[in-house]
Amino acid sequence: MAESKDFITTRVLNAPRQLVWDAYSEEKHLLQWWGPAGVKMAKATLDFKSGGMFHYGMYAPDGSIMWGKLVFGEIVAPKKLVCTVSFSDENAGFSRHPLAPMWPLETLSVTTFEDMGAQTKVTVNWKAINCSEEEAALFDNSHDGMNYGMKGTFDQLNEYIKTLI
Amino acid sequence: MRRDVFQAIADPTRRKILNIVSHKALNLNSVAEQFKVSRPAISKHIKILTECGLIVVKQQGRERFCEAKLKKLNEVSDWVEQYRKFWDQKLDSLEIYLEKLQAKDKSSKKNKKHGRK
């Protein structure tokens, strides 16, 4: 099994670390922000512990449900959260993205929460895991897809995907 | 067999072919010369790339030239963009939620103070 290179996303949030942690770890908070604005959650269950899972479904505009799940690994409150992210189905199985069956099945995300007083620095370090060499190469290759001399002009596909999420 | 952009670039030889012809259109022989594998094997890859819409083969006189259609590859960069955006969008949403939550806390505290007066 192969894995891709790392991607890093960083954000400074205007909230103390404990509150940010609560927003991730408590169902009443998580359900309020996990879905994008205006998207109704069809179903969501959170079992916040190592080995536990967050399984959710969001309504797509056509009325179908897009399922996803996070499976939690190491949890160090309120500093670090490790989880795998994947598309899923109603029964919390694994699923490929309906539009890209070649795409890696799972990504591993390590999120760290840095205490900055009234603010919190959140860093998400993630990569595709448990994929074939081909999938990892595909992922990495498109990661630095600028190799091909094309910078992403957003086309219809992107618009379409937006409507799915 | 599936014929889309993901299938096209799943193979290292095909990725290399794309890189070669993305700079300028080349005839089939010039492409094949750059590989150790047989010409028929390269032709087969080019055929797949053609079917996936990433290469167009144009007849010019007695020669056939391969031209890359890179716009198709945007689909791939858009997919990566999509993955990259996953956490970005979650954090956007979290940011807004935390703001609301704290604004609500402040106003309810203010109200309590007010009530005591």
Side-chain angles (χ1 to χ4, degrees):
Chain A
M1 286 295 188
E3 55 186 46
S4 75
K5 294 180 212 161
D6 285 10
F7 290 63
I8 294 167
T9 304
T10 311
R11 187 73 61 95
V12 175
L13 297 166
N14 288 316
R17 183 165 71 174
Q18 188 59 49
L19 185 61
V20 175
W21 183 262
D22 290 347
Y24 274 82
S25 58
E26 293 176 21
E27 192 169 293
K28 65 170 183 185
H29 290 306
L30 186 59
L31 298 193
Q32 296 300 316
W33 66 269
W34 190 256
V39 174
K40 212 177 147 203
M41 298 286 263
K43 189 194 152 188
T45 49
L46 174 66
D47 180 15
F48 194 78
K49 63 174 189 225
S50 182
M53 188 194 293
F54 175 47
H55 179 229
Y56 63 93
M58 286 188 267
Y59 284 111
D62 67 358
S64 65
I65 300 174
M66 293 280 288
W67 296 95
K69 72 172 177 176
L70 309 186
V71 176
F72 302 111
E74 187 188 6
I75 296 177
V76 187
K79 294 179 201 163
K80 186 183 177 189
L81 173 61
V82 179
C83 65
T84 60
V85 182
S86 62
F87 290 100
S88 186
D89 55 29
E90 200 175 349
N91 304 312
F94 282 112
S95 165
R96 297 268 169 182
H97 192 284
L99 292 182
M102 277 295 292
W103 218 240
L105 199 52
E106 267 185 290
T107 57
L108 175 71
S109 299
V110 178
T111 308
T112 51
F113 305 86
E114 219 174 294
D115 187 355
M116 295 171 65
Q119 293 182 315
T120 307
K121 186 178 175 189
V122 178
T123 305
V124 188
N125 197 312
W126 59 275
K127 60 187 169 190
I129 53 160
N130 291 334
C131 51
S132 67
E133 295 283 346
E134 272 194 345
E135 287 171 332
L138 174 59
F139 203 76
D140 284 344
N141 217 64
S142 43
H143 180 9
D144 32 57
M146 313 305 152
N147 286 347
Y148 291 113
M150 43 92 214
K151 177 95 175 82
T153 48
F154 293 99
D155 60 6
Q156 282 176 330
L157 182 70
N158 217 7
E159 291 303 312
Y160 175 60
I161 291 162
K162 270 184 213 154
T163 68
L164 289 178
I165 289 171
Chain B
M1 203 179 171
R2 291 173 50 236
R3 289 288 183 261
D4 60 29
V5 65
F6 296 97
Q7 185 65 36
I9 66 165
D11 181 273
T13 305
R14 288 201 288 276
R15 286 201 296 273
K16 205 174 161 198
I17 293 173
L18 274 176
N19 260 327
I20 292 170
V21 300
S22 68
H23 304 298
K24 68 174 206 187
L26 287 174
N27 67 31
L28 284 173
N29 279 333
S30 314
V31 176
E33 269 169 18
Q34 306 196 32
F35 294 89
K36 282 181 186 148
V37 289
S38 70
R39 211 199 119 131
I42 295 300
S43 289
K44 202 183 158 200
H45 282 306
I46 290 177
K47 186 166 176 272
I48 293 172
L49 287 167
T50 309
E51 287 166 3
C52 295
L54 284 163
I55 277 186
V56 173
V57 179
K58 285 181 182 164
Q59 191 83 37
Q60 282 183 18
R62 288 165 62 191
E63 289 187 290
R64 296 168 70 205
F65 280 84
C66 300
E67 205 179 293
K69 292 285 165 201
L70 296 177
K71 215 181 154 203
K72 264 272 177 188
L73 282 173
N74 283 346
E75 288 182 16
V76 176
S77 61
D78 288 348
W79 274 110
V80 168
E81 198 53 21
Q82 183 59 32
Y83 266 80
R84 197 182 61 73
K85 273 188 185 158
F86 179 85
W87 283 113
D88 262 349
Q89 283 168 345
K90 296 298 178 206
L91 291 172
D92 284 347
S93 176
L94 175 62
E95 201 167 3
I96 294 165
Y97 174 66
L98 288 169
E99 256 167 44
K100 271 192 211 156
L101 194 68
Q102 292 179 107
K104 216 167 47 180
D105 269 6
K106 268 181 203 158
S107 69
S108 68
K109 271 175 197 160
K110 264 183 204 162
N111 286 343
K112 270 181 201 162
K113 273 181 197 165
H114 197 69
R116 266 186 235 129
K117 276 181 190 173

